[in-house]
PDB file of all heavy atoms in Angstrom:
ATOM      1  N   GLU A  60      -2.304 -19.407  32.044  1.00  0.00           N
ATOM      2  CA  GLU A  60      -0.829 -19.338  32.288  1.00  0.00           C
ATOM      3  C   GLU A  60      -0.032 -20.283  31.442  1.00  0.00           C
ATOM      4  O   GLU A  60       1.182 -20.141  31.305  1.00  0.00           O
ATOM      5  CB  GLU A  60      -0.524 -19.505  33.785  1.00  0.00           C
ATOM      6  CG  GLU A  60      -0.808 -20.880  34.271  1.00  0.00           C
ATOM      7  CD  GLU A  60      -0.706 -21.003  35.803  1.00  0.00           C
ATOM      8  OE1 GLU A  60      -1.587 -20.542  36.563  1.00  0.00           O
ATOM      9  OE2 GLU A  60       0.359 -21.539  36.214  1.00  0.00           O
ATOM     10  N   ASN A  61      -0.670 -21.337  30.959  1.00  0.00           N
ATOM     11  CA  ASN A  61       0.024 -22.328  30.046  1.00  0.00           C
ATOM     12  C   ASN A  61      -0.336 -22.056  28.582  1.00  0.00           C
ATOM     13  O   ASN A  61       0.595 -22.178  27.738  1.00  0.00           O
ATOM     14  CB  ASN A  61      -0.392 -23.771  30.405  1.00  0.00           C
ATOM     15  CG  ASN A  61       0.055 -24.178  31.822  1.00  0.00           C
ATOM     16  OD1 ASN A  61       1.154 -23.799  32.247  1.00  0.00           O
ATOM     17  ND2 ASN A  61      -0.742 -24.950  32.507  1.00  0.00           N
ATOM     18  N   ALA A  62      -1.568 -21.776  28.291  1.00  0.00           N
ATOM     19  CA  ALA A  62      -1.982 -21.543  26.893  1.00  0.00           C
ATOM     20  C   ALA A  62      -1.220 -20.407  26.264  1.00  0.00           C
ATOM     21  O   ALA A  62      -0.778 -20.497  25.119  1.00  0.00           O
ATOM     22  CB  ALA A  62      -3.450 -21.307  26.823  1.00  0.00           C
ATOM     23  N   GLN A  63      -1.011 -19.328  27.067  1.00  0.00           N
ATOM     24  CA  GLN A  63      -0.342 -18.127  26.466  1.00  0.00           C
ATOM     25  C   GLN A  63       1.066 -18.407  26.068  1.00  0.00           C
ATOM     26  O   GLN A  63       1.481 -18.149  24.892  1.00  0.00           O
ATOM     27  CB  GLN A  63      -0.478 -16.969  27.401  1.00  0.00           C
ATOM     28  CG  GLN A  63      -1.948 -16.521  27.573  1.00  0.00           C
ATOM     29  CD  GLN A  63      -2.111 -15.110  28.128  1.00  0.00           C
ATOM     30  OE1 GLN A  63      -1.199 -14.399  28.248  1.00  0.00           O
ATOM     31  NE2 GLN A  63      -3.356 -14.750  28.427  1.00  0.00           N
ATOM     32  N   PRO A  64       1.959 -18.957  26.951  1.00  0.00           N
ATOM     33  CA  PRO A  64       3.315 -19.244  26.523  1.00  0.00           C
ATOM     34  C   PRO A  64       3.386 -20.323  25.434  1.00  0.00           C
ATOM     35  O   PRO A  64       4.248 -20.339  24.523  1.00  0.00           O
ATOM     36  CB  PRO A  64       4.053 -19.676  27.768  1.00  0.00           C
ATOM     37  CG  PRO A  64       3.028 -20.014  28.760  1.00  0.00           C
ATOM     38  CD  PRO A  64       1.809 -19.137  28.398  1.00  0.00           C
ATOM     39  N   ALA A  65       2.444 -21.270  25.458  1.00  0.00           N
ATOM     40  CA  ALA A  65       2.448 -22.384  24.482  1.00  0.00           C
ATOM     41  C   ALA A  65       2.160 -21.860  23.113  1.00  0.00           C
ATOM     42  O   ALA A  65       2.902 -22.178  22.136  1.00  0.00           O
ATOM     43  CB  ALA A  65       1.400 -23.406  24.860  1.00  0.00           C
ATOM     44  N   LEU A  66       1.191 -20.974  22.952  1.00  0.00           N
ATOM     45  CA  LEU A  66       0.818 -20.442  21.666  1.00  0.00           C
ATOM     46  C   LEU A  66       1.967 -19.528  21.154  1.00  0.00           C
ATOM     47  O   LEU A  66       2.298 -19.599  19.978  1.00  0.00           O
ATOM     48  CB  LEU A  66      -0.489 -19.678  21.774  1.00  0.00           C
ATOM     49  CG  LEU A  66      -1.719 -20.500  21.868  1.00  0.00           C
ATOM     50  CD1 LEU A  66      -2.884 -19.735  22.437  1.00  0.00           C
ATOM     51  CD2 LEU A  66      -2.091 -21.088  20.498  1.00  0.00           C
ATOM     52  N   LEU A  67       2.538 -18.745  22.033  1.00  0.00           N
ATOM     53  CA  LEU A  67       3.643 -17.853  21.627  1.00  0.00           C
ATOM     54  C   LEU A  67       4.831 -18.705  21.151  1.00  0.00           C
ATOM     55  O   LEU A  67       5.409 -18.458  20.109  1.00  0.00           O
ATOM     56  CB  LEU A  67       4.058 -16.958  22.790  1.00  0.00           C
ATOM     57  CG  LEU A  67       5.217 -16.069  22.455  1.00  0.00           C
ATOM     58  CD1 LEU A  67       4.947 -14.605  22.881  1.00  0.00           C
ATOM     59  CD2 LEU A  67       6.526 -16.486  23.112  1.00  0.00           C
ATOM     60  N   LEU A  68       5.169 -19.733  21.942  1.00  0.00           N
ATOM     61  CA  LEU A  68       6.339 -20.506  21.608  1.00  0.00           C
ATOM     62  C   LEU A  68       6.106 -21.223  20.246  1.00  0.00           C
ATOM     63  O   LEU A  68       7.040 -21.268  19.385  1.00  0.00           O
ATOM     64  CB  LEU A  68       6.553 -21.576  22.687  1.00  0.00           C
ATOM     65  CG  LEU A  68       7.793 -22.439  22.645  1.00  0.00           C
ATOM     66  CD1 LEU A  68       9.036 -21.577  22.652  1.00  0.00           C
ATOM     67  CD2 LEU A  68       7.804 -23.404  23.833  1.00  0.00           C
ATOM     68  N   ASN A  69       4.938 -21.712  20.021  1.00  0.00           N
ATOM     69  CA  ASN A  69       4.640 -22.376  18.744  1.00  0.00           C
ATOM     70  C   ASN A  69       4.796 -21.371  17.611  1.00  0.00           C
ATOM     71  O   ASN A  69       5.437 -21.723  16.558  1.00  0.00           O
ATOM     72  CB  ASN A  69       3.242 -22.927  18.795  1.00  0.00           C
ATOM     73  CG  ASN A  69       2.863 -23.769  17.624  1.00  0.00           C
ATOM     74  OD1 ASN A  69       3.634 -24.701  17.271  1.00  0.00           O
ATOM     75  ND2 ASN A  69       1.767 -23.507  16.974  1.00  0.00           N
ATOM     76  N   SER A  70       4.273 -20.218  17.717  1.00  0.00           N
ATOM     77  CA  SER A  70       4.338 -19.191  16.650  1.00  0.00           C
ATOM     78  C   SER A  70       5.753 -18.725  16.410  1.00  0.00           C
ATOM     79  O   SER A  70       6.232 -18.605  15.271  1.00  0.00           O
ATOM     80  CB  SER A  70       3.446 -17.973  17.005  1.00  0.00           C
ATOM     81  OG  SER A  70       2.089 -18.264  16.905  1.00  0.00           O
ATOM     82  N   VAL A  71       6.486 -18.512  17.492  1.00  0.00           N
ATOM     83  CA  VAL A  71       7.900 -17.987  17.438  1.00  0.00           C
ATOM     84  C   VAL A  71       8.814 -19.104  16.759  1.00  0.00           C
ATOM     85  O   VAL A  71       9.690 -18.757  15.947  1.00  0.00           O
ATOM     86  CB  VAL A  71       8.395 -17.621  18.807  1.00  0.00           C
ATOM     87  CG1 VAL A  71       9.889 -17.356  18.786  1.00  0.00           C
ATOM     88  CG2 VAL A  71       7.637 -16.346  19.248  1.00  0.00           C
ATOM     89  N   GLY A  72       8.536 -20.344  17.077  1.00  0.00           N
ATOM     90  CA  GLY A  72       9.356 -21.424  16.445  1.00  0.00           C
ATOM     91  C   GLY A  72       9.189 -21.404  14.883  1.00  0.00           C
ATOM     92  O   GLY A  72      10.172 -21.486  14.174  1.00  0.00           O
ATOM     93  N   ILE A  73       7.977 -21.237  14.454  1.00  0.00           N
ATOM     94  CA  ILE A  73       7.707 -21.175  13.006  1.00  0.00           C
ATOM     95  C   ILE A  73       8.355 -19.938  12.392  1.00  0.00           C
ATOM     96  O   ILE A  73       8.961 -19.959  11.332  1.00  0.00           O
ATOM     97  CB  ILE A  73       6.188 -21.236  12.731  1.00  0.00           C
ATOM     98  CG1 ILE A  73       5.594 -22.554  13.238  1.00  0.00           C
ATOM     99  CG2 ILE A  73       5.916 -21.063  11.187  1.00  0.00           C
ATOM    100  CD1 ILE A  73       4.100 -22.508  13.302  1.00  0.00           C
ATOM    101  N   THR A  74       8.224 -18.784  13.107  1.00  0.00           N
ATOM    102  CA  THR A  74       8.786 -17.521  12.643  1.00  0.00           C
ATOM    103  C   THR A  74      10.320 -17.655  12.458  1.00  0.00           C
ATOM    104  O   THR A  74      10.864 -17.146  11.467  1.00  0.00           O
ATOM    105  CB  THR A  74       8.552 -16.398  13.683  1.00  0.00           C
ATOM    106  OG1 THR A  74       7.096 -16.286  13.868  1.00  0.00           O
ATOM    107  CG2 THR A  74       9.069 -15.064  13.195  1.00  0.00           C
ATOM    108  N   LYS A  75      10.980 -18.369  13.404  1.00  0.00           N
ATOM    109  CA  LYS A  75      12.392 -18.564  13.286  1.00  0.00           C
ATOM    110  C   LYS A  75      12.820 -19.334  12.040  1.00  0.00           C
ATOM    111  O   LYS A  75      13.757 -18.939  11.352  1.00  0.00           O
ATOM    112  CB  LYS A  75      12.877 -19.364  14.534  1.00  0.00           C
ATOM    113  CG  LYS A  75      14.417 -19.405  14.725  1.00  0.00           C
ATOM    114  CD  LYS A  75      14.747 -20.119  16.024  1.00  0.00           C
ATOM    115  CE  LYS A  75      16.235 -20.116  16.253  1.00  0.00           C
ATOM    116  NZ  LYS A  75      16.826 -18.820  16.547  1.00  0.00           N
ATOM    117  N   ILE A  76      12.060 -20.345  11.625  1.00  0.00           N
ATOM    118  CA  ILE A  76      12.381 -21.092  10.431  1.00  0.00           C
ATOM    119  C   ILE A  76      12.094 -20.217   9.167  1.00  0.00           C
ATOM    120  O   ILE A  76      12.825 -20.230   8.218  1.00  0.00           O
ATOM    121  CB  ILE A  76      11.608 -22.438  10.388  1.00  0.00           C
ATOM    122  CG1 ILE A  76      11.927 -23.231  11.660  1.00  0.00           C
ATOM    123  CG2 ILE A  76      11.950 -23.181   9.110  1.00  0.00           C
ATOM    124  CD1 ILE A  76      13.361 -23.570  11.893  1.00  0.00           C
ATOM    125  N   LEU A  77      11.024 -19.461   9.248  1.00  0.00           N
ATOM    126  CA  LEU A  77      10.682 -18.540   8.114  1.00  0.00           C
ATOM    127  C   LEU A  77      11.825 -17.542   7.907  1.00  0.00           C
ATOM    128  O   LEU A  77      12.222 -17.243   6.781  1.00  0.00           O
ATOM    129  CB  LEU A  77       9.372 -17.793   8.397  1.00  0.00           C
ATOM    130  CG  LEU A  77       8.118 -18.599   8.191  1.00  0.00           C
ATOM    131  CD1 LEU A  77       6.913 -17.853   8.793  1.00  0.00           C
ATOM    132  CD2 LEU A  77       7.821 -18.895   6.729  1.00  0.00           C
ATOM    133  N   GLU A  78      12.376 -17.025   9.012  1.00  0.00           N
ATOM    134  CA  GLU A  78      13.510 -16.089   8.989  1.00  0.00           C
ATOM    135  C   GLU A  78      14.718 -16.752   8.358  1.00  0.00           C
ATOM    136  O   GLU A  78      15.351 -16.160   7.493  1.00  0.00           O
ATOM    137  CB  GLU A  78      13.760 -15.657  10.405  1.00  0.00           C
ATOM    138  CG  GLU A  78      14.745 -14.478  10.537  1.00  0.00           C
ATOM    139  CD  GLU A  78      15.001 -14.120  12.016  1.00  0.00           C
ATOM    140  OE1 GLU A  78      14.026 -14.108  12.752  1.00  0.00           O
ATOM    141  OE2 GLU A  78      16.192 -13.902  12.326  1.00  0.00           O
TER     142      GLU A  78
END
Side-chain angles (χ1 to χ4, degrees):
E60 65 187 78
N61 295 324
Q63 294 199 9
L66 285 160
L67 179 133
L68 187 57
N69 189 50
S70 288
V71 168
I73 298 166
T74 302
K75 191 175 181 68
I76 304 304
L77 285 166
E78 191 181 317

